[in-house]
């Protein structure tokens, strides 16, 4: 089915894009694979120059690029602009640091001579990406792999064809060679087929458990290395001695940013008894202060959700939570606008057997839990199949760190927002996936770490047939 851009604020169909044909897919694979072989002989500094040009292009066309995302998936224009800037930062970071990170490393060894680990490109990477940060998700995979010398084929979410196409075209316009990134509007079956192709050497997916499990299964069946960046149900723990001004200033933003459609949104607020009432009162006041409206209007502070379907799914999850005993402390009323708006909602009294306690709510709905001890806070935080991120607020930062280390997730921030920066590894454990994006760890995701041992002299006394000889 052809993909459509439907503005979630006006519900208008803005654009339609034709599906990829099998011939197009074959042509793309051939071009990308040829480029991979050429890049092996290219000086990495040439690629750094190109990636800086991509960053410059993004900064120079910030508003124009941002408008595409806002019109297509509804995020506030200021948030779209922030995303464009973050992408430029990621491109600059990998352009500046990849050469050093990819230099061979020397190992201390008892083998004769020198042992080194070289870091080589491996081939074409398929990236399957979600809609919630249309450009940033692509850049997280593209920038490091471009520096490594792995071309990328992009298969993006069905509801953001315009953003996906814009990003891929932008990279080429900025000076990258054809084939370094190609967007293809592929069906699920075509994705499975392309994963099986020998020219594809890695699969990076960001998305839900459902999407991740399907694509990981195809990758596993074909022995393709893969990284999975999946959903989360992050805890925001407020300890008894937390600075409540900071907590209240950050809590509502940590839930409502991007209309609550963020993998690392704080979805469960776990609050110690002595500060619970103050916390809830201020969260309600802050949720009540947001202004829904046109996301292109800079005065708007609550964006619509990305699609009608997403809004309906969230409503169903909230209804199920209430049916299972949750209390609506605020919200859950219709918003009188034609766009896909969901009123910021706060749920309390969620017992461990309520499905809401184990469901990722991907929109502006906060769950607030009252706990009576730090141990209970940690236990509630860890009672989740997810393990992505989290936030701990403590009056004592060192103690905050001790609590953070007991949270079973890939990332925890103490006394601050969770932020994504190119030098910080991003990823989770449990059903939130495996592997990391960004930082040196992300750069290495699809690298062949090849061991080369160069003997100073053959040592026949100690080594025979590859085995250490024992006299
Ligand atoms: P999704 O349904 O899993 O979709 C993600 C991508 O996978 C889309 O391009 C989707 O295409 C594709 N896909 C799904 N099933 C597929 C299959 N069987 N074969 C091939 N491709 C398939 O996820 P979503 O609901 O759009 O995204 C939101 C989820 O992403 C949330 O759970 C969120 O927490 C998570 N997320 C995680 C991170 C992270 O870094 N950990 C970051 C952002 C978002 P279609 O659109 O065509 O279905």
């Amino acid at each position: 089915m052809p993909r459509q851009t439907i503005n979630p604020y006006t519900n208008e169909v803005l654009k339609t894009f034709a599906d990829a044909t099998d011939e197009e897919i074959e042509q793309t694979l051939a071009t990308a694979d040829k480029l991979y072989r050429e890049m092996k002989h290219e000086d990495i500094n040439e690629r750094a120059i190109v990636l800086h040009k991509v960053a410059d292009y993004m900064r120079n066309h910030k508003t124009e690029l941002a408008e595409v995302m806002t019109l297509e998936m509804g995020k506030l224009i200021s948030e779209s602009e922030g995303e464009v800037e973050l992408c430029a930062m990621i491109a600059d970071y990998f352009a500046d640091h990849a050469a050093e990170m990819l230099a061979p490393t020397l190992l201390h060894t008892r083998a004769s001579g020198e042992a080194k680990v070289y870091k080589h490109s491996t081939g074409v990477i398929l990236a399957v990406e979600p809609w919630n940060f249309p450009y940033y998700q692509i850049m997280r995979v593209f920038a490091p792999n471009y520096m490594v010398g792995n071309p990328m084929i992009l298969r993006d979410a069905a509801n953001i064809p315009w953003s996906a196409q814009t990003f891929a075209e932008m990279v080429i316009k900025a000076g990258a060679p054809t084939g370094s990134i190609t967007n293809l509007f592929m069906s699920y079956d075509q994705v499975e087929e392309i994963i099986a192709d020998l020219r594809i050497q890695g699969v990076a997916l960001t998305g839900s458990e459902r999407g991740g499990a399907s694509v990981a299964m195809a990758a596993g069946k074909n022995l393709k290395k893969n990284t999975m960046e999946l959903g989360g149900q992050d805890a925001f723990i407020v300890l008894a001695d937390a600075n409540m001004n900071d907590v209240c200033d950050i809590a509502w933003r940590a839930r409502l940013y991007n209309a609550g459609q963020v993998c690392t949104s704080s979805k469960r607020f776990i609050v110690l008894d002595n500060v619970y009432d103050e916390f809830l009162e201020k969260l309600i006041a802050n949720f009540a202060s947001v202004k829904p409206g046109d996301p292109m209007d800079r005065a708007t502070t609550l964006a619509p959700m990305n699609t009608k379907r997403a809004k309906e799914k969230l409503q169903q999850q909230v209804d199920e939570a209430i049916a299972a005993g949750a209390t609506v402390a605020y919200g859950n009323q219709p918003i009188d606008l034609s766009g896909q708006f969901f009123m910021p909602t706060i749920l309390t009294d969620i017992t461990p057997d309520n499905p809401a306690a184990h469901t990722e709510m991907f929109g502006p709905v906060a769950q607030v839990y009252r706990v009576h001890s730090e141990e209970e806070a940690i236990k509630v935080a860890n009672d989740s199949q997810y393990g992505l991120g989290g936030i701990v607020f403590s009056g004592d930062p060192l103690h905050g760190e001790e609590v953070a280390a007991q949270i079973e997730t890939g990332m925890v921030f103490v006394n601050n927002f969770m932020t994504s920066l190119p030098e910080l590894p991003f990823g989770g454990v449990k059903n939130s996936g495996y592997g990391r994006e960004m930082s040196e760890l992300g750069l290495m995701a699809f690298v062949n770490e090849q061991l080369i041992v160069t003997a100073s002299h053959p040592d026949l006394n100690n080594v025979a047939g590859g085995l250490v000889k024992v006299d």
Side-chain angles (χ1 to χ4, degrees), residues 71-135:
L71 291 172
E72 189 163 56
M73 57 68 69
K75 70 171 61 191
L76 301 178
I77 187 68
S78 58
E79 293 181 357
S80 293
E81 287 173 348
E83 184 170 338
V84 174
E85 278 170 24
L86 176 57
C87 287
M89 206 189 289
I90 296 170
D92 279 340
Y93 175 80
F94 284 105
D96 286 337
H97 299 286
E100 194 187 332
M101 292 171 181
L102 293 168
T105 42
L106 193 62
L107 301 179
H108 295 287
T109 174
R110 69 199 69 195
S112 155
E114 254 186 12
K116 285 187 195 158
V117 175
Y118 279 74
K119 292 142 194 179
H120 301 301
S121 55
T122 48
V124 185
I125 305 303
L126 171 71
V128 181
E129 298 299 330
W131 46 264
N132 63 337
F133 290 96
Y135 297 156

Side-chain angles (χ1 to χ4, degrees), residues 3 126-133 136-137 140 155-160 186-192 195 205-215 218 228-233 261-265 267 306 309 313 360 362 386 388 411 426-428 432-433 437:
R3 283 163 172 72
L126 171 71
V128 181
E129 298 299 330
W131 46 264
N132 63 337
F133 290 96
Y136 157 80
Q137 296 295 350
R140 285 198 333 194
R155 195 284 182 194
D156 220 318
N159 60 320
I160 54 156
M186 289 185 280
S187 67
Y188 286 2
D189 287 346
Q190 286 171 320
V191 168
E192 208 175 323
I195 289 173
L205 177 137
T206 297
S208 65
E209 281 173 286
R210 179 193 59 86
S214 305
V215 172
M228 291 288 141
E229 297 281 348
L230 309 180
Q233 221 195 349
Q261 304 164 117
V262 185
C263 53
T264 51
S265 274
K267 291 165 190 145
N306 73 102
R309 207 175 102 212
K313 179 176 170 191
E360 181 185 35
F362 215 56
Y386 294 108
L388 191 56
M411 309 167 274
F426 197 106
S432 293
E437 289 185 349

Side-chain angles (χ1 to χ4, degrees), residues 31 35 38-39 42 47 50 146 171-172 175-182:
T31 305
L35 180 65
E38 288 165 6
M39 279 170 143
E42 183 184 52
R47 294 203 285 278
V50 170
Y146 181 67
V171 170
I172 307 299
T178 303
S180 46
I181 176 170
T182 310

Side-chain angles (χ1 to χ4, degrees), residues 217-400:
M217 194 152 75
K221 198 167 82 184
N222 291 286
L223 303 176
K224 299 294 164 74
K225 194 172 180 193
N226 62 90
T227 55
M228 291 288 141
E229 297 281 348
L230 309 180
Q233 221 195 349
D234 288 5
F236 182 124
I237 296 181
V238 185
L239 295 180
D241 61 350
N243 176 327
M244 291 307 288
N245 285 336
D246 290 349
V247 166
C248 296
D249 223 21
I250 287 180
W252 69 280
R253 299 174 210 267
R255 189 64 193 103
L256 297 188
Y257 181 74
N258 207 27
Q261 304 164 117
V262 185
C263 53
T264 51
S265 274
S266 297
K267 291 165 190 145
R268 296 177 301 148
F269 294 91
I270 302 170
V271 186
L272 265 290
D273 199 29
N274 66 314
V275 285
Y276 180 91
D277 292 339
E278 178 185 357
F279 176 84
L280 187 59
E281 187 189 320
K282 296 214 169 115
L283 190 68
I284 291 173
N286 284 322
F287 270 33
S289 72
V290 296
K291 184 172 170 287
D294 184 350
M296 294 290 271
D297 179 349
R298 289 177 191 275
T300 300
T301 52
L302 180 73
M305 293 187 66
N306 73 102
T307 56
K308 183 166 181 282
R309 207 175 102 212
K311 177 184 162 178
E312 286 168 358
K313 179 176 170 191
L314 185 63
Q315 187 62 62
Q316 190 187 339
Q317 289 173 326
V318 168
D319 293 346
E320 281 168 11
I322 296 166
T327 302
V328 178
Y330 178 76
N332 197 30
Q333 299 293 320
I335 288 183
D336 190 19
L337 286 170
S338 58
Q340 303 308 321
F341 290 94
F342 198 99
M343 185 177 184
T345 294
I346 301 172
L347 299 176
T348 59
D349 302 316
I350 297 168
T351 50
D353 59 344
N354 190 316
H358 307 283
T359 305
E360 181 185 35
M361 292 188 172
F362 215 56
V365 178
Q367 302 181 5
V368 186
Y369 296 79
R370 184 196 287 268
V371 290
H372 304 281
S373 68
E374 189 176 294
E375 292 68 36
E376 190 187 353
I378 295 166
K379 186 167 174 287
V380 173
N382 288 338
D383 183 19
S384 170
Q385 75 270 32
Y386 294 108
L388 191 56
I391 293 176
V392 175
F393 265 90
S394 166
D396 172 357
L398 275 182
H399 183 60

Side-chain angles (χ1 to χ4, degrees), residues 406-436:
Q406 296 175 65
I407 308 300
E408 296 162 352
T409 63
M411 309 167 274
V412 185
F413 279 59
V414 178
N415 292 345
N416 205 354
F417 270 120
M418 281 218 53
T419 41
S420 179
L421 289 168
E423 63 275 18
L424 303 180
F426 197 106
V429 295
K430 302 203 246 178
N431 287 13
S432 293
Y434 45 82
R436 294 292 182 270

